Amino acid sequence: MARWGGTEVDPSEPDELYPPIEPYASGMLEVGDGHRVYWEACGNPDGKPALVVHGGPGSGCGPQARRYFDPERYRVVLFDQRGCGRSTPHASDPATDLRHNTTHHLIADMERLREHLGITDWLLYGGSWGSTLILAYAQAHPERVTEAVIASVTTTRRSEIDWLYRGAGQLFPEAWHAFREGAPEGTEPAGLVAAYARLLESPDPAVRERATAAWCAWEDAVLSLEAGPGPAPYSGRPDRDQRAMVRICAHYFSHGAWLRENQLIDEAHRLAGIPAALVHGRFDLGSPLTTAWELDRVWPEAELTVIDDAGHLGGPATRRAVLAALDGFAG
């Protein structure tokens, strides 16, 4: 059931995140295919288990995500998905083979990590690409998910990918023209993502560098109406992280995340019994509200909060809604 508008969030709820904390444990988990996944655990070792599922794909986990959880009540686990962050091999290296980096591999990695840490089940928290991975994991292993808190909801349908890399060009025609010019001459608009995926596998480092810069410039344009002061969301990342994220994004999106079109909406019945909080900005130009609304309609235990003054990156009202949901699920 939807709650429309940021004003639906109780203004008495805290606007500030929890204080910074450091991991009490961390490690590198062997997940097969030559991959090692970085993980860390924070908060209370005896607290409610929760897994942070980062976005991108390929952004890596960061310390800010730890601060959404009450460290007295949660055992918070974070991990870097294959090929990014501190996981190895790193996708910024052109020699790193991405064949064994798919949605299904990441789902298996999450299960392996859960077993490694001796966790029976856990709450899942994430947004953007992280929401796609949360939904895919929860539908594959519903008995392992106690609750879900999802912001900036996406399901990585091909229609969603087409909007982000073609449809949104109607709002930013000059930036989209530059993005299209970065692809080989004659590339059809519908083939841009696949064309960039091929460029990012080029043996020529100059070709890869130009493709990475063009991709980041387009992504930054889509977020330009909501980006605040500081580094740009994509092009402001360190070069190594930027190269890995763009290469992984293009790899995943050119394959439709290895999901059937509409799979995560059609299979939402598998989520029955899992309480969830969905939080989405009405002015999210990267992931339009339609997807969150459709998911809310087919997931009875989900509650959608629409933040009227937020976009994909969120804002104070988004933060309050996520904090309230996580505090509410802490028990």
Side-chain angles (χ1 to χ4, degrees):
M1 180 179 296
R3 296 190 297 170
W4 301 96
T7 56
E8 294 292 333
V9 178
D10 185 345
S12 67
E13 292 171 355
D15 187 45
E16 295 300 322
L17 301 177
Y18 286 98
I21 54 174
E22 293 299 319
Y24 65 79
S26 63
M28 299 292 289
L29 179 66
E30 299 277 355
V31 293
D33 311 309
H35 284 269
R36 302 175 73 226
V37 166
Y38 171 82
W39 65 270
E40 62 185 37
C42 312
N44 181 354
D46 298 318
K48 178 185 180 72
L51 180 70
V52 175
V53 184
H54 68 68
S59 71
C61 65
Q64 189 80 345
R66 306 169 189 161
R67 300 184 58 197
Y68 280 88
F69 298 85
D70 182 342
E72 297 298 321
R73 296 192 287 172
Y74 273 107
R75 176 188 180 186
V76 187
V77 178
L78 301 90
F79 75 110
D80 289 328
Q81 295 162 29
R82 291 191 182 201
C84 69
R86 288 148 289 190
S87 294
T88 61
H90 204 263
S92 61
D93 182 350
T96 297
D97 191 340
L98 297 185
R99 286 181 301 170
H100 300 296
N101 194 335
T102 72
T103 303
H104 307 296
H105 287 98
L106 299 186
I107 291 171
D109 293 349
M110 292 163 68
E111 266 297 271
R112 192 182 296 251
L113 178 58
R114 182 191 61 77
E115 294 170 354
H116 175 72
L117 297 176
I119 292 172
T120 301
D121 49 26
W122 44 13
L123 175 148
L124 303 180
Y125 163 62
S128 192
W129 158 255
S131 63
T132 294
L133 187 52
I134 284 172
L135 293 169
Y137 174 90
Q139 290 181 14
H141 303 284
E143 73 284 357
R144 301 303 182 189
V145 182
T146 55
E147 304 91 8
V149 178
I150 300 173
S152 303
V153 180
T154 73
T155 63
T156 316
R157 291 178 288 191
R158 288 159 183 82
S159 58
E160 295 171 47
I161 297 166
D162 183 68
W163 162 260
L164 179 56
Y165 297 103
R166 182 170 63 157
Q170 298 173 71
L171 304 175
F172 305 99
E174 68 284 19
W176 188 77
H177 175 75
F179 180 56
R180 186 175 180 183
E181 288 292 297
E185 185 175 355
T187 300
E188 293 295 325
L192 278 176
V193 173
Y196 270 90
R198 290 190 293 271
L199 291 174
L200 292 160
E201 298 302 320
S202 170
D204 185 341
V207 170
R208 298 195 303 271
E209 183 177 345
R210 287 194 299 269
T212 298
W215 184 286
C216 288
W218 169 245
E219 295 275 12
D220 286 341
V222 175
L223 297 174
S224 62
L225 299 184
E226 54 177 306
Y234 278 76
S235 57
R237 294 171 182 267
D239 289 348
R240 178 175 181 268
D241 294 338
Q242 193 181 118
R243 291 194 300 272
M245 184 174 181
V246 171
R247 187 179 174 212
I248 293 172
C249 280
H251 172 61
Y252 272 71
F253 297 159
S254 65
H255 288 90
W258 297 273
L259 299 169
R260 299 188 312 275
E261 185 69 355
N262 221 51
Q263 176 177 330
L264 299 181
I265 301 293
D266 291 343
E267 298 293 318
H269 60 88
R270 298 184 60 80
L271 305 173
I274 301 174
L278 312 178
V279 183
H280 205 96
R282 186 176 296 280
F283 295 106
D284 187 334
L285 301 183
S287 306
L289 178 58
T290 301
T291 296
W293 181 78
E294 290 177 353
L295 181 62
D296 177 65
R297 285 169 59 86
V298 294
W299 189 354
E301 291 81 10
E303 182 174 86
L304 170 62
T305 298
V306 179
I307 308 298
D308 279 335
D309 62 352
H312 194 71
L313 300 177
T318 303
R319 184 166 63 248
R320 289 195 297 269
V322 170
L323 282 167
L326 290 170
D327 283 347
F329 287 144

